[in-house]
Amino acid sequence: MTSDAVSPLMRRIADEYIRPRFRALSEGQVSEKDGPGDLVTIADIEAEHALTPLLREIEDIPVVGEEATAEDPTLPDVLGEADAAWTVDPVDGTWNFAHGRADYAVMVAHVVEGDTHAGWILQPETGDLIDGVVGGGAQVTSRAGHTRALSAPTGPVRPLNKLRGMVVTRFTPPELKERVEAMLPGLGGHTTPRMCAGWDYWDLLTGDVDFLVYSRAKPWDHAPGAAICTAAGFEVRYINDGATYRPGLPGRPFLVARPGEWEVIVEALGAP
């Protein structure tokens, strides 16, 4: 498996199956899965069906796709069992995509022995693709092929009132929600999610926000960003025990921040 092998496939799938549907979906090409607002489109389905065998040609291991999991909810179990596996989110931010918003993404991760190893996030409408391999660094590549490195900020650890974060409280367990809401007044600022994790991670990597707090961690949403952020030097750890994020352990709240500031934010959140 090499990073260079995956990126061209993602661009190809986006250009063939996703971008032609952008702002061109008919009523019958959008439906709900688990409830109101949980959308799936023909682009999600066709893109995942096309990308899955291509990833297996690179490395023949299980593929945990969002749409495949809708058909077989036990599929993510392999992330904690297999020696290696792929995750695929064919259209992250489907609600945005279906409503003609450009902040959607295509995401792939490579998981080794339950840990994030590599991740790719493509923004089809801008052409930017961020990727990283744990231990090998992270980068962003434009549609024209221009590449620059991505890394966590350096310098002194900043206090809480200098930090701007992205926090999600909609799905947060009550006990953590109270702690998050109590922390907000002490922050330098905060924002709500874009409804696309791929763009949330982009905002962190480019410095628009200083940390991310998540409480619902579906692997296809977060394994790619977790791998890239780890490769860039950020901490991606569970809030309550400090353990490293693992895609096969869903539903545990976690925090993404630079070293040192991770501890500042957890201290502000208080004891579980």
Side-chain angles (χ1 to χ4, degrees):
M1 193 284 301
T2 67
S3 178
D4 289 345
V6 176
S7 300
L9 296 181
M10 295 174 66
R11 292 189 184 278
R12 171 182 152 193
I13 294 302
D15 287 344
E16 291 184 8
Y17 295 94
I18 302 172
R19 297 192 69 212
R21 306 283 192 183
F22 185 53
R23 297 174 179 163
L25 292 165
S26 66
E27 184 176 349
Q29 294 174 335
V30 183
S31 59
E32 291 183 338
K33 290 192 291 188
D34 296 330
D38 185 14
L39 303 181
V40 62
T41 74
I42 189 171
D44 297 74
I45 295 168
E46 289 185 347
E48 185 172 313
H49 285 173
L51 185 54
T52 294
L54 296 176
L55 292 173
R56 285 199 172 117
E57 288 179 10
I58 297 173
E59 186 174 356
D60 191 12
I61 53 178
V63 179
V64 180
E66 178 177 11
E67 306 316 324
T69 300
E71 299 296 323
D72 178 7
T74 68
L75 186 58
D77 294 346
V78 306
L79 295 172
E81 301 167 353
D83 291 338
W86 300 102
T87 71
V88 173
D89 192 341
V91 181
D92 181 47
T94 299
W95 192 95
N96 295 349
F97 176 78
H99 287 81
R101 288 176 43 176
D103 47 349
Y104 70 93
V106 181
M107 304 205 295
V108 172
H110 187 251
V111 178
V112 176
E113 296 181 349
D115 292 316
T116 55
H117 170 246
W120 299 259
I121 300 175
L122 170 65
Q123 299 170 349
E125 299 308 316
T126 69
D128 290 326
L129 188 146
I130 54 176
D131 68 274
V133 177
V134 176
Q139 62 184 359
V140 56
T141 305
S142 70
R143 196 188 304 277
H146 303 299
T147 298
R148 62 180 174 86
L150 294 170
S151 61
T154 57
V157 172
R158 294 165 292 181
L160 192 70
N161 65 3
K162 298 296 183 182
L163 300 178
R164 174 177 168 83
M166 192 288 296
V167 295
V168 182
T169 58
R170 180 181 175 189
F171 303 105
T172 305
E175 63 277 10
L176 178 60
K177 183 176 181 180
E178 292 177 3
R179 292 156 59 195
V180 169
E181 290 177 342
M183 177 185 69
L184 295 182
L187 288 173
H190 67 276
T191 184
T192 54
R194 289 175 176 261
M195 298 180 67
C196 175
W199 277 78
D200 292 338
Y201 284 104
W202 168 263
D203 288 343
L204 176 69
L205 287 158
T206 55
D208 286 343
V209 297
D210 302 308
F211 67 89
L212 308 172
V213 176
Y214 288 108
S215 59
R216 189 173 71 164
K218 294 182 178 179
W220 44 84
D221 285 332
H222 296 287
I228 298 167
C229 287
T230 301
F234 289 89
E235 300 276 2
V236 187
R237 295 193 274 146
Y238 294 113
I239 291 171
N240 287 349
D241 61 10
T244 300
Y245 164 81
R246 289 168 64 87
L249 299 175
R252 298 178 61 187
F254 66 98
L255 166 67
V256 188
R258 62 178 282 208
E261 291 175 358
W262 193 95
E263 288 76 10
V264 167
I265 298 159
V266 166
E267 182 178 357
L269 285 171

